[in-house]
Amino acid sequence: MRYCIVLGVALLILLACRPKPKQTFDVILRHGTVYDGSGAEPFTADVALQADTIAAIGDLGDAAGKKEIDATGLAVAPGFINMLSWADRSLLMDGRSMSDIKQGVTLEVFGEGWSPGPVKRKATSKPVDSLWTTLGGYFDYVLKKGVSPNVASFVGATSIRIHELGHDNRPPTAEELKRMKALVQQAMDDGAMGLGSSLIYAPADYASTDELIALAQVASQNGGMYITHMRSESDNILSAMNETFRISKEAHIAAEIYHLKINHERNWGKVETVIAKLDSARKAGLKITANMYTYTASATGLTARLPTWVQEGGASAMRKRLKNPVTRKKVLEEMRLGIPTKNSDPKDVMMLGFRLDSLNKLYRGKRLDEVARLHGKDADETVLDLVVRDKSTIAAVYFLISEANVKRMLTLPYVSFGSDAASMSEAKIFADWGTHPRAYGTFARFLGKYVRDEKVVSLPEAIRRLTALPASNLKLKKRGSLKVGYYADLALFDARTIADHATFDSPKEYATGMQHVFVNGVQVLHQGEHTGALPGRVVRGPGWKSKRG
């Protein structure tokens, strides 16, 4: 008996002295400089991932990873949020999201006025004219296709209006408004982030403020926000801001201004007044934020130079009107009087691309003043001729923004970022897509040019405004911060070398310096190269009602 007791004690001591088995994780990122998204100073730590979740942060020397990455010298940050993305179509063509993944973007947010749903099925002989008719249907389809980043969307007020009123320039009837509100409710049930508007374009600008308030109230009741391209970013920017604040106040909804900027040199001096109005509204209790891109030029269709009344009924009706000599004369008179926005100097407008190859060969990449000389007419007449001939909006770049104002707005603590562009690749399907360099460089340009080189913003603060700030505005759960228990959306980059390379002359150049990117715990970028993985999910808004109840 004594022998058995001694033997048992010895065995217990032996077992106690044996080294404990190492805790094992799917991935461990070793010795990185961790920026948690809060704006706090970074710290050196290991980060462990298990399945789709951040499982541990700290000294994990006693743990092992099935896969380990040496992150020494790299910033380890939450994945970046693109608050204004037009990748809803490009992701269906190439789900890798190359131009954004190579900048660390792990969430694409759609819905500036137009959204992937609702869309009305056309009455034709075909059994199905659309692969989906609701925002929820689009979400289901994009998941089926497979994409690298996560996706989210606002429901577009323009899409809602077109669904019920087409391109008519009139207020909705009581019954139509009721149906429009029901469409917003359906989209919120499907997971929309809120209501998005784009009020300089037809038919969006046909909507009254009261109409927008009525729709925004539905979004508000479901916990969503209102986000807007205001009616003016130029001469009437202050009154446009007042409308945004009114919608926020009367609909009891947080509001965000898309791509905050001030167009035309004559207005650049309003920058401090604009900022003071924003700060005043926030101090008064309104939840007002903004986003921006890091360039002194915007991009939109050449049709933005036309008064919106001529665009009533849609593109075909517009072109028919422009062929009428009387209507054409009236349009030209208004354009020369500066309607709708005291049009920019033709030398400040560059052609991005046309539908017709013949026009691309003649004019693509040229400024409007040169195009007009080649065409043999003045700039306004040239615009009308080209819009009619090309049967498109004709994408163009507008050089209207002050570099000093860009830097000033970058310092605002409530400003996040959006590319206002699709996410593309070198695939042949995008060969004819004209684009602004912001599609390839917005986020890298911020971190390289403005943070590292010009020190406009500190790196911890910059990462907060790329991650936790937009996540908080959108009310996202477990995203936007580098914390245990949060989803493993991560961007690892070299802060010393990250840079944009896209220019207006050569806009399709990938950014460099982003080394590793994870989406939901799956690596989509390894040493700067795409892995081909498509782990993206739909990130749904606070009003989402699961099909499972």
Side-chain angles (χ1 to χ4, degrees):
M1 176 66 71
R2 190 175 299 166
Y3 174 77
C4 290
I5 292 172
V6 171
L7 181 61
V9 170
L11 286 171
L12 289 173
I13 293 172
L14 182 63
L15 290 171
C17 291
R18 286 179 61 189
K20 294 180 180 179
K22 287 187 174 182
Q23 188 174 9
T24 302
F25 298 98
D26 290 337
V27 180
I28 296 182
L29 312 173
R30 296 284 186 190
H31 314 302
T33 304
V34 175
Y35 294 81
D36 63 9
S38 69
E41 289 301 308
F43 54 94
T44 301
D46 302 326
V47 177
L49 315 182
Q50 189 67 28
D52 63 358
T53 301
I54 299 170
I57 303 172
D59 182 355
L60 303 177
D62 292 335
K66 296 175 184 176
K67 178 178 185 177
E68 298 199 0
I69 293 175
D70 183 4
T72 302
L74 298 180
V76 181
F80 305 154
I81 297 174
N82 186 347
M83 278 297 293
L84 175 47
S85 171
W86 288 103
D88 53 309
R89 179 184 169 205
S90 61
L91 284 175
L92 299 182
M93 301 166 72
D94 183 347
R96 294 175 300 165
S97 192
M98 292 283 284
S99 58
D100 270 359
I101 288 293
K102 281 179 170 284
Q103 297 183 77
V105 172
T106 59
L107 174 59
E108 307 277 358
V109 185
F110 316 135
E112 187 203 352
W114 289 266
S115 54
V119 290
K120 184 169 281 187
R121 185 175 295 168
K122 297 177 182 178
T124 69
S125 57
K126 296 180 181 179
V128 177
D129 295 291
S130 176
L131 295 168
W132 63 85
T133 57
T134 64
L135 186 60
Y138 171 82
F139 286 155
D140 292 342
Y141 187 77
V142 80
L143 286 177
K144 182 180 178 181
K145 290 283 290 186
V147 292
S148 292
N150 297 313
V151 298
S153 185
F154 288 84
V155 61
T158 312
S159 295
I160 295 289
R161 191 169 227 277
I162 290 172
H163 193 281
E164 292 303 315
L165 280 75
H167 289 76
D168 292 353
N169 184 1
R170 63 175 178 83
T173 65
E175 183 58 33
E176 286 168 337
L177 183 60
K178 181 179 179 181
R179 292 199 300 267
M180 291 165 72
K181 292 167 69 175
L183 288 171
V184 175
Q185 182 62 59
Q186 180 184 36
M188 295 303 295
D189 292 346
D190 287 342
M193 293 292 161
L195 180 74
S197 68
S198 191
L199 300 176
I200 71 163
Y201 303 106
D205 77 326
Y206 304 155
S208 67
T209 306
D210 287 337
E211 178 184 318
L212 294 167
I213 289 170
L215 300 182
Q217 285 172 337
V218 180
S220 175
Q221 291 160 7
N222 290 269
M225 66 185 295
Y226 173 68
I227 190 165
T228 181
H229 180 148
M230 299 186 298
R231 290 189 196 270
S232 175
E233 299 166 325
S234 182
D235 299 341
N236 301 315
I237 188 170
L238 300 181
S239 61
M241 293 174 71
N242 288 338
E243 179 184 44
T244 302
F245 300 159
R246 180 188 162 196
I247 292 169
S248 175
K249 182 177 181 179
E250 295 189 20
H252 304 288
I253 194 168
E256 178 152 319
I257 296 170
Y258 273 130
H259 38 59
L260 181 66
K261 60 182 178 289
I262 303 174
N263 286 336
H264 297 105
E265 186 174 359
R266 61 183 175 270
N267 295 305
W268 291 351
K270 297 176 181 177
V271 61
E272 294 304 328
T273 302
V274 166
I275 292 171
K277 281 183 71 71
L278 286 167
D279 290 341
S280 178
R282 288 167 56 85
K283 288 176 183 177
L286 296 181
K287 294 180 180 179
I288 306 293
T289 53
N291 60 64
M292 65 182 292
Y293 45 76
T294 50
Y295 295 86
T296 57
S298 59
T300 189
L302 208 58
T303 49
R305 296 176 66 89
L306 277 60
T308 55
W309 62 261
V310 78
Q311 301 174 53
E312 182 179 1
S316 180
M318 174 189 67
R319 291 192 297 271
K320 185 176 180 180
R321 290 191 189 99
L322 293 177
K323 292 176 183 178
N324 181 300
V326 175
T327 306
R328 180 186 174 97
K329 182 180 179 181
K330 181 180 178 183
V331 170
L332 287 170
E333 287 174 351
E334 292 198 7
M335 292 173 74
R336 287 159 188 162
L337 287 171
I339 301 172
T341 56
K342 293 188 179 177
N343 274 326
S344 49
D345 192 309
K347 68 178 174 55
D348 295 328
V349 182
M350 185 179 80
M351 303 297 101
L352 274 181
F354 298 82
R355 186 182 64 84
L356 296 175
D357 288 341
S358 59
L359 292 179
N360 278 321
K361 290 175 183 177
L362 286 172
Y363 303 136
R364 187 172 182 172
K366 290 182 171 63
R367 300 294 179 110
L368 180 56
D369 60 338
E370 182 182 0
V371 172
R373 285 195 300 272
L374 292 170
H375 188 63
K377 296 183 181 180
D378 71 16
D380 291 339
E381 289 191 279
T382 297
V383 167
L384 300 191
D385 287 349
L386 292 176
V387 166
V388 169
R389 182 177 174 188
D390 198 54
K391 296 183 179 180
S392 79
T393 60
I394 308 177
V397 170
Y398 292 75
F399 294 87
L400 304 175
I401 308 167
S402 158
E403 174 70 10
N405 284 355
V406 169
K407 290 182 180 180
R408 178 68 178 95
M409 291 172 173
L410 285 172
T411 67
L412 301 176
Y414 45 82
V415 168
S416 56
F417 295 87
S419 68
D420 197 2
S423 185
M424 293 171 281
S425 71
E426 70 285 353
K428 290 182 179 179
I429 50 177
F430 300 119
D432 294 330
W433 285 38
T435 191
H436 187 298
R438 64 194 182 192
Y440 285 74
T442 293
F443 306 91
R445 184 175 177 83
F446 178 45
L447 294 171
K449 173 179 170 63
Y450 292 109
V451 175
R452 179 191 61 238
D453 298 342
E454 300 187 13
K455 297 179 173 52
V456 177
V457 181
S458 72
L459 185 53
E461 171 64 6
I463 290 173
R464 181 187 74 84
R465 294 208 271 118
L466 289 166
T467 60
L469 172 65
S472 174
N473 293 340
L474 294 170
K475 300 181 181 178
L476 303 187
K477 294 180 180 179
K478 297 185 177 181
R479 296 192 192 271
S481 296
L482 211 163
K483 296 181 180 180
V484 173
Y486 275 51
Y487 290 106
D489 298 335
L490 299 170
L492 284 70
F493 63 95
D494 189 336
R496 300 162 298 184
T497 64
I498 192 164
D500 67 301
H501 302 287
T503 65
F504 290 101
D505 292 326
S506 183
K508 295 182 179 180
E509 301 291 338
Y510 290 127
T512 55
M514 188 63 58
Q515 294 298 309
H516 307 284
V517 176
F518 290 81
V519 176
N520 300 312
V522 177
Q523 190 165 14
V524 296
L525 197 73
H526 175 69
Q527 294 182 349
E529 297 300 324
H530 205 290
T531 66
L534 305 171
R537 299 176 183 172
V538 174
V539 176
R540 301 182 194 262
W544 179 47
K545 292 181 173 56
S546 169
K547 292 179 182 178
R548 296 182 298 275

